Amino acid sequence: MSPISPCPPVSTGPTARNVFALAWPMTIKAIFLHGTVVIDTYLVAALGETSLAAVGLAAAIAGFALGAIQAFSSAMQIRTAQAFGTGNQVFLKSALASGMVVNLAVGVLGLLAILVFGAPLINALAPSTEVATLARSYLGIFLLVILGEAVGQCISSYLNGCGETKVPLYSLCLSVPVNILTSVALIHGYWGLPALGVSGAAIGSVVAVAVQVSFLGVRLIIAAGHLRHIAGWRENGFPRSLLRHLGFALPIAATFLSAAISTQVCALIYVRMDLSDFAALTLIAPWIQVTGTIGMQWAIATGIIVAQLLGQGCEAARLQHFLSRAWRASFVASAGVALLLLILCLSADMLYSNLSLQTRDIVLAFLPIVILLPFPKGSNAICGNTLRASGDTIYVMNLFVAAQWLFRVPVTAIAVIWLDLGAVLVLSIQLWEEIIKFPAFHRRILSGKWKNRSW
């Protein structure tokens, strides 16, 4: 299961090819994962701006819970990589059990929060009664996806940390076609099924996640079933192991959770914009996430290998040699992201012909921003994941949280609510956020402290 061998000399250590072997399955899997919303928005776009706005509003609210699940899953992925690098089976067992308990707890809490606050929030934010009604209908069904993702993301993170990144990809290869076929049939009422509109898109997502989790559960039993027979826990009993896991995971989870919440807060602020501006941002945001996973998953794969190397006790020279090669290759990944977004913007008239000309013109005007954004974002991601792998989680958390809540969210609110700026200037705030983080991240990496693990 290991993508790298125990510490050989620097000249034969892991290279960008090892990162690619881990990254490409995670990239495609992440694209499919973000593609749940992309698929729904694309299929619903044929119903017009009102249905599209409803899905965007409901997805923004559900995104809080999904973001929390993804946040703790990302922490578990790094923890698993550390455990796998040491070869300690008790450590692996503790990471898996602790991660599953945490993910289920987060999923249930998110579900309860949406049940209590979801409908009032939709009613307060929806630009019209029709949008509110459709959004409540979509969200009420989509809640089941949250529980499925709590389990599925935990299993995927464990397998990724062990280097088995293809298995989560296979699960998405099964579920995405199911999502598309079910959603199309139920949205439009094909093959004798009822035409449910936006509710049909939500049902398609629920069926798809059920298929995905079933497959992952079987593969987990095959890959990690032997851990049931491993005696003991990394700490003195499971409660202490769980607390130790939480102590490591919370700063990482807080970083990802803060990013998810700030993104969803900004998405809710966008509701205050003109309908065409809001629709354009609703369209481009999932595409930025989907294409951005190319650079992001490269950075995550880099972090996994760094964590495994640190677990093996590798020397600083080998760590630096590996990171330099992985970093250079990340710029190629960023160029690929920029190219994909270029094609998307230029193809807006063809892809979204059912939307108004004004909405399509705004998407085209996003072009300069989306071409530049992947480069600082990708480099910052390499820095962040490397620092997390070494245990420098507090610094990464502080930097991300400060940039999000002291810059992106308040500036977005000012731009939309008080200055009434257009969608292009509002989207540019994301680029400026990455530029602001750039010096602090790179100074920390260049200091070399990350080469000494602190976990």
Side-chain angles (χ1 to χ4, degrees), residues 293-314:
T293 57
I294 296 174
M296 186 59 64
Q297 297 304 316
W298 185 273
I300 290 173
T302 299
I304 288 174
I305 294 182
V306 168
Q308 292 178 346
L309 291 174
L310 288 169
Q312 295 170 9
C314 290

Side-chain angles (χ1 to χ4, degrees), residues 158-310:
Y158 175 84
L159 295 171
N160 286 341
C162 293
E164 293 290 333
T165 58
K166 292 181 182 179
V167 175
L169 171 60
Y170 297 153
S171 72
L172 270 296
C173 290
L174 289 173
S175 65
V176 168
V178 171
N179 189 2
I180 294 174
L181 291 174
T182 307
S183 295
V184 168
L186 292 175
I187 288 172
H188 302 288
Y190 295 149
W191 308 310
L193 296 172
L196 301 177
V198 297
S199 296
I203 293 173
S205 297
V206 171
V207 173
V209 81
V211 171
Q212 174 193 353
V213 172
S214 298
F215 175 81
L216 286 172
V218 172
R219 293 306 299 261
L220 178 66
I221 292 173
I222 295 172
H226 67 281
L227 294 179
R228 292 174 296 177
H229 307 295
I230 301 296
W233 302 95
R234 192 178 185 224
E235 303 298 324
N236 186 19
F238 180 70
R240 289 192 177 184
S241 296
L242 180 61
L243 289 176
R244 179 71 178 271
H245 180 93
L246 278 174
F248 176 85
L250 279 174
I252 300 174
T255 304
F256 282 89
L257 184 59
S258 174
I261 292 176
S262 62
T263 297
Q264 300 309 320
V265 168
C266 289
L268 295 176
I269 294 173
Y270 296 159
V271 176
R272 301 287 299 272
M273 304 178 73
D274 176 79
L275 183 59
S276 293
D277 283 325
F278 178 53
L281 286 169
T282 299
L283 286 176
I284 199 65
W287 282 110
I288 290 176
Q289 288 181 319
V290 167
T291 56
T293 57
I294 296 174
M296 186 59 64
Q297 297 304 316
W298 185 273
I300 290 173
T302 299
I304 288 174
I305 294 182
V306 168
Q308 292 178 346
L309 291 174
L310 288 169

Side-chain angles (χ1 to χ4, degrees), residues 102-127:
V102 170
N103 265 33
L104 286 173
V106 171
V108 170
L109 289 175
L111 185 66
L112 293 175
I114 292 175
L115 288 173
V116 174
F117 302 108
L121 194 56
I122 287 174
N123 293 336
L125 295 173

Side-chain angles (χ1 to χ4, degrees), residues 13 51 74 89 104 138 174 183 187 222 378 406 412 428 442 444:
S51 296
S74 298
Q89 297 297 297
L104 286 173
Y138 179 90
L174 289 173
S183 295
I187 288 172
I222 295 172
L406 298 181
T412 298
S428 71
H442 290 72
R444 193 74 164 188

